[in-house]
Amino acid sequence: MTAPLIGSTPIRKCEYLSTRYHSNIYIKEEFHNPGKSAKDRPAYYMIEDAINRNCIPPGGIFVEASSGNTGLGIAMLAKQYGYRSKIFVSNSCSQEKISILEEAGAEIEICDNSNGLGDFQSTQFKAQSYAAMQPNAYFTNQYYNTQNIRAHYKTTGPEIWKQTGGHITHFLCGVGTGGTISGVGRYLKEQQQNIKIWGVEPTGSILQHYLKERSIPAQIAPFESIEGIGRNFVPGSFDPTPVDHIFQVSQDDTKAIATAYRNETGILCGFSSAAVLACLHQYAADMHLKPTDTLVLFFPDHGSRYISKLYSENTKSVAHA
């Protein structure tokens, strides 16, 4: 396989955030990937691994359960290499993403939720069931595929270390499958054990509890919807070892900070990118950032995929965000 132009995305110092929070704050802009998201990285690693191990016949069907971005990476790469794709998305997936998936040639099936293999109506269960019934299909299974972590360990982590000249002190990203924080966190901790690795998830998601207790909460309730992050099960691609803390933010605050950031900078950030900003805004005092620190915010997606969900006139405002 010829590797597509995935990775080597820029890091940009955000003067607005650096001034506001009195620290050196950089943004890793993953929307410069071909599919405008960080998910192109694991999509490539998972497809390459499946083809190299002869897990799928020529012209076969790559199957994935996705909130949209991994699915798009799978769909684009499958088409490029002569395969088909079928993507199972939940009913919370934005219409923008569904349209882009269809334009990339993917067959789409909309499911009730993405609650994991234990729920018969979930994207994961239906994707696995479909792949099991089709002899020419392969389920890439991002939630349990080690290539998800490996992609970020091999590419994203080294890029961030090199781009910051090894001066990074803190890393903050959203947690969904767990592949990004696990892979990047593992690599950065190997370079400098004192680097803080922080995650963010929606209010009600269980990974904060799992990180602290190494157990599932006794009561699991629906968590607030922030597309791409948050879980009510623990994915196999989430390795808690390098993670220092997971914060939680609300959907309302995430939407508000997206609008406020756009108004201040003109930049449309994606849903889970906005959650990272909301986390910084809400917990800055607890983070104890110093003027000599270097915090890298991970922006995995682009706001053009979430116009209808993030940039309506109905979101409340965050004062001076």
Side-chain angles (χ1 to χ4, degrees), residues 4-35:
L5 298 176
I6 293 173
S8 299
T9 56
I11 275 185
R12 173 181 60 84
K13 185 172 185 180
C14 181
E15 297 296 345
Y16 165 65
L17 293 175
S18 297
T19 299
R20 177 171 174 78
Y21 297 105
H22 310 292
S23 193
N24 300 296
I25 299 180
Y26 290 78
I27 296 173
K28 179 68 165 165
E29 297 182 330
E30 286 294 285
F31 47 80
H32 289 278
N33 281 305

Side-chain angles (χ1 to χ4, degrees), residues 167-188:
H167 293 134
I168 179 173
T169 56
H170 303 75
F171 176 72
L172 176 62
C173 73
V175 186
T177 67
T180 301
I181 199 168
S182 302
V184 173
R186 183 185 300 174
Y187 181 85
L188 292 178

Side-chain angles (χ1 to χ4, degrees), residues 125-147:
F125 182 85
K126 290 200 168 186
Q128 179 174 270
S129 298
Y130 175 84
M133 297 295 291
Q134 302 291 328
N136 63 338
Y138 177 76
F139 182 28
T140 45
N141 197 6
Q142 62 172 322
Y143 293 91
Y144 294 92
N145 194 322
T146 57
Q147 297 300 320

Side-chain angles (χ1 to χ4, degrees), residues 229-275:
I229 62 174
R231 289 292 167 260
N232 60 8
F233 66 97
V234 179
S237 52
F238 174 60
D239 175 12
T241 308
V243 183
D244 293 291
H245 186 69
I246 293 177
F247 300 93
Q248 292 196 339
V249 295
S250 72
Q251 182 192 78
D252 282 349
D253 286 346
T254 297
K255 288 182 175 180
I257 206 76
T259 299
Y261 189 70
R262 178 201 61 184
N263 292 343
E264 290 287 348
T265 67
I267 295 171
L268 292 174
C269 61
F271 216 155
S272 52
S273 302

Side-chain angles (χ1 to χ4, degrees), residues 23-71:
S23 193
N24 300 296
I25 299 180
Y26 290 78
I27 296 173
K28 179 68 165 165
E29 297 182 330
E30 286 294 285
F31 47 80
H32 289 278
N33 281 305
K36 289 194 173 182
S37 92
K39 296 295 189 177
D40 287 356
R41 298 176 188 261
Y44 175 70
Y45 269 69
M46 291 188 296
I47 282 185
E48 180 187 48
D49 177 66
I51 294 173
N52 288 343
R53 293 190 297 112
N54 297 314
C55 295
I56 184 170
I61 307 171
F62 279 104
V63 179
E64 184 55 272
S66 169
S67 65
N69 286 326
T70 303

Side-chain angles (χ1 to χ4, degrees), residues 2 24 52 54 56 58 84-85 118 124 138 158 165 174 183 191 201 209 256 267 275 298 305 320:
T2 301
N24 300 296
N52 288 343
N54 297 314
I56 184 170
R84 292 180 289 155
S85 61
Q124 294 90 353
Y138 177 76
Q191 313 313 307
E201 65 177 357
H209 181 279
I267 295 171
F298 192 72
R305 303 280 164 80
H320 308 299

